[in-house]
Amino acid sequence: MRRYLRIVVLCLACGFCSLLYAFSQLAVSLEEGAGGGGGKPQAAAASWLAGGGRGGARGVGSVGPAAHSGRSDRYGLNVQPIQRMHLAVVACGERLEETVTMLKSAIIFSIRPLQFHIFAEDQLHDSFKGILDSWSFLQTFNYSLYPITFPSENAVEWKKLFKPCASQRLFLPLILKEVDSLLYVDTDILFLRPVDDIWSLLKKFNSTQIAAMAPEHEEPRIGWYNRFARHPYYGKTGVNSGVMLMNMTRMRRKYFKNDMTTVRLRWGDILMPLLKKYKLNITWGDQDLLNIIFFHNPESLFVFPCQWNYRPDHCIYGSNCQEAEEEGIFILHGNRGVYHDDKQPAFRAIYEALRNCSFKDNNIRSLLKPLELELQKTVHTYCGKIYKIFIKQLTKSIQDRYDRPPKER
Ligand SMILES: *[C@@H]1O[C@H](CO)[C@@H](O)[C@H](O)[C@H]1NC(C)=O
Ligand SMILES: *[C@@H]1O[C@H](CO)[C@@H](O)[C@H](O)[C@H]1NC(C)=O
Ligand SMILES: *[C@@H]1O[C@H](CO)[C@@H](O)[C@H](O)[C@H]1NC(C)=O
Ligand SMILES: *[C@@H]1O[C@H](CO)[C@@H](O)[C@H](O)[C@H]1NC(C)=O
Ligand SMILES: *[C@@H]1O[C@H](CO)[C@@H](O)[C@H](O)[C@H]1NC(C)=O
């Protein structure tokens, strides 16, 4: 009787397995049908995961010559209406020109439409509106302006923290409730690649990652956090929050481990207790708070390489961002005011070239020649030594954006 039962169970199991197999074969053939029969299904799935997509294999969806395939594949995927890329910035004080130049660099190189979220002090609103409305003929972006706002009970405390209103960024997931994902950047950022490129990293997040930032330093011997910080920080050298890519849906949902209570806290509940606890020990304001949060929740952070947040620190102490020298500089971060003084003339030259160029010169390429001459003059400075990388990067980005046949755009 027992043996008989065992045989029945075995048969059932076998039947179940073959059923599963039949289904998986069916799924595979469906997938191949959709993919035009090209390639193994595994490979197709993998390239999808890697953000590549099957546009190339399909033939119909793919656009343009092989030279552009990395880019065009992404567009083969867009079956639904094109999703906008959301970019947020917080501008206070004298940051109008810098912010506008940052937005311009995003518009110049990006391919998909952009939605800007500009948080600014009230006296800057009219200027932003005037300038951005004058670019509206481009039809590649739209924008919203917001006042600086803090949770009312602690508004004063928040405003005092670090530079005026820099901590606004911590509240973006709570203010922009309808926005799924967002790229936050400081005002002193310049895009040298399309925003599309960094935006595509969102799809590379694993299931626990909610945000992405670059390390504060590559070289621990000159890192700030590992030598001076009086609070926990992420990884070996901490992270820099000047370029922060966020899946805010996930940030709003997550319960964060912390060193204040044994229960996990939501984003909206963790910030003020954290500030209260570490107020006397933090130096770089909200960036320090982010470092503390990701110290306790390291599985939630996607760390991208330094060329997505390239700062003077990466060139003044020698070469401290190998990836940039091999692959290019994607996002420039002129912190310490280097766009406005003479300390890093290479950074300043790039800033001024982008600031000066107008959308109305319908040839963006015209910024390259004078910039190359300008940068050559800086070759004796630390960061000027890599001026060829700057030129190569800008040339490539302009070609990718403007030299493609119109149907690809
Ligand atoms: C920008 O465009 C998107 C998509 O068309 C739309 O949902 C959004 O409301 C627009 N925003 C503004 C400020 O016009
Ligand atoms: C703040 O720094 C002091 C001095 O290094 C240290 O003793 C203290 O534990 C720190 N406070 C917190 C909350 O980590
Ligand atoms: C953000 O995360 C949510 C929840 O996991 C997901 O549905 C959404 O697609 C993600 N957004 C992007 C742009 O990947
Ligand atoms: C996601 O990646 C992070 C960083 O590499 C890692 O710590 C975490 O365990 C990963 N999560 C999963 C679910 O694999
Ligand atoms: C930008 O314009 C300013 C003032 O009009 C000029 O002095 C400067 O040389 C220009 N710089 C570049 C790089 O075009």
Side-chain angles (χ1 to χ4, degrees):
M1 185 66 193
R2 231 190 184 150
R3 180 170 301 162
Y4 178 67
L5 244 173
R6 221 177 277 163
I7 288 170
V8 168
V9 168
L10 205 72
C11 286
L12 276 177
C14 286
F16 184 66
C17 286
S18 52
L19 213 68
L20 269 183
Y21 180 71
F23 270 118
S24 72
Q25 285 302 90
L26 188 68
V28 163
S29 63
L30 283 179
E31 176 134 338
E32 277 183 339
K40 290 200 178 103
Q42 280 94 335
S47 71
W48 172 284
L49 281 178
R54 272 170 288 152
R58 198 185 305 169
V60 190
S62 88
V63 275
H68 300 306
S69 66
R71 172 77 49 70
S72 37
D73 281 351
R74 232 165 24 233
Y75 299 97
L77 286 179
N78 287 333
V79 186
Q80 315 104 334
I82 294 176
Q83 200 207 356
R84 279 173 187 258
M85 303 181 290
H86 293 260
L87 179 68
V89 65
V90 181
C92 294
E94 307 290 295
R95 301 301 182 137
L96 176 71
E97 182 193 272
E98 203 174 83
T99 308
V100 165
T101 308
M102 180 277 288
L103 296 173
K104 200 192 225 178
S105 72
I107 295 171
I108 287 177
F109 299 119
S110 295
I111 291 147
R112 273 195 283 168
L114 289 156
Q115 171 78 44
F116 297 139
H117 301 272
I118 302 166
F119 291 80
E121 286 174 322
D122 297 340
Q123 72 268 21
L124 297 178
H125 282 217
D126 287 343
S127 313
F128 272 117
K129 194 168 178 326
I131 295 167
L132 293 171
D133 286 349
S134 77
W135 298 344
S136 62
F137 69 95
L138 293 167
Q139 295 194 324
T140 53
F141 72 95
N142 62 14
Y143 70 94
S144 314
L145 272 167
Y146 310 80
I148 304 290
T149 45
F150 292 91
S152 53
E153 17 152 10
N154 302 99
V156 179
E157 221 164 337
W158 280 114
K159 278 192 184 171
K160 271 197 321 219
L161 181 73
F162 196 34
K163 292 184 201 140
C165 52
S167 48
Q168 177 77 74
R169 89 181 100 178
L170 294 173
F171 299 99
L172 296 176
L174 308 173
I175 298 171
L176 302 173
K177 287 196 185 74
E178 308 299 317
V179 179
D180 168 68
S181 294
L182 184 74
L183 175 63
Y184 164 86
V185 293
D186 285 350
T187 56
D188 51 5
I189 288 294
L190 292 172
F191 291 93
L192 308 186
R193 288 293 303 161
V195 173
D196 308 58
D197 282 12
I198 190 165
W199 193 257
S200 72
L201 296 180
L202 283 167
K203 291 287 172 224
K204 301 208 173 152
F205 283 15
N206 69 22
S207 61
T208 50
Q209 287 164 331
I210 62 170
M213 286 182 267
E216 169 66 19
H217 253 285
E218 300 304 307
E219 173 52 64
R221 276 176 302 176
I222 48 176
W224 194 91
Y225 283 108
N226 51 295
R227 291 186 298 158
F228 306 118
R230 289 181 296 144
H231 58 78
Y233 54 89
Y234 177 88
K236 281 205 185 99
T237 60
V239 283
N240 182 284
S241 57
V243 179
M244 183 177 179
L245 184 64
M246 296 176 263
N247 182 319
M248 300 198 301
T249 305
R250 294 186 180 184
M251 290 173 83
R252 286 184 289 256
R253 276 183 200 161
K254 187 178 165 70
Y255 288 85
F256 293 84
K257 289 173 275 193
N258 62 84
D259 59 0
M260 295 164 299
T261 66
T262 52
V263 295
R264 297 180 177 209
L265 297 174
R266 292 273 192 128
W267 191 260
D269 300 322
I270 201 170
L271 297 175
M272 192 39 76
L274 207 58
L275 177 66
K276 291 222 164 97
K277 175 161 181 184
Y278 286 103
K279 170 160 79 171
L280 299 176
N281 286 35
I282 58 183
T283 308
W284 307 108
D286 54 336
Q287 175 170 301
D288 295 344
L289 297 185
L290 290 166
N291 267 290
I292 298 169
I293 292 174
F294 287 109
F295 168 83
H296 292 293
N297 300 271
E299 74 290 349
S300 300
L301 191 66
F302 179 104
V303 178
F304 47 63
C306 45
Q307 75 245 65
W308 296 102
N309 186 345
Y310 192 89
R311 280 157 282 141
D313 277 1
H314 292 126
C315 39
I316 53 186
Y317 309 107
S319 163
N320 273 312
C321 180
Q322 204 55 44
E323 290 91 335
E325 284 168 37
E326 283 155 18
E327 295 156 23
I329 296 171
F330 302 155
I331 296 181
L332 200 65
H333 186 177
N335 62 355
R336 310 180 183 202
V338 293
Y339 297 145
H340 313 291
D341 62 24
D342 292 322
K343 292 201 183 106
Q344 296 306 329
F347 276 71
R348 183 173 178 163
I350 293 182
Y351 175 75
E352 290 191 349
L354 288 165
R355 181 196 65 192
N356 289 6
C357 86
S358 146
F359 289 118
K360 298 229 161 90
D361 321 332
N362 47 36
N363 196 346
I364 298 290
R365 259 163 294 221
S366 63
L367 73 81
L368 278 176
K369 258 277 138 321
L371 178 61
E372 185 162 4
L373 292 177
E374 200 59 39
L375 279 173
Q376 276 175 26
K377 293 186 208 152
T378 70
V379 71
H380 63 282
T381 65
Y382 288 110
C383 293
K385 289 202 177 76
I386 57 164
Y387 86 93
K388 286 194 173 136
I389 299 176
F390 285 125
I391 290 295
K392 202 170 134 197
Q393 181 67 74
L394 285 165
T395 308
K396 180 173 187 307
S397 297
I398 290 173
Q399 279 168 355
D400 286 357
R401 174 69 178 79
Y402 295 96
D403 292 352
R404 298 154 65 211
K407 63 171 176 139
E408 288 182 41
R409 287 179 203 156

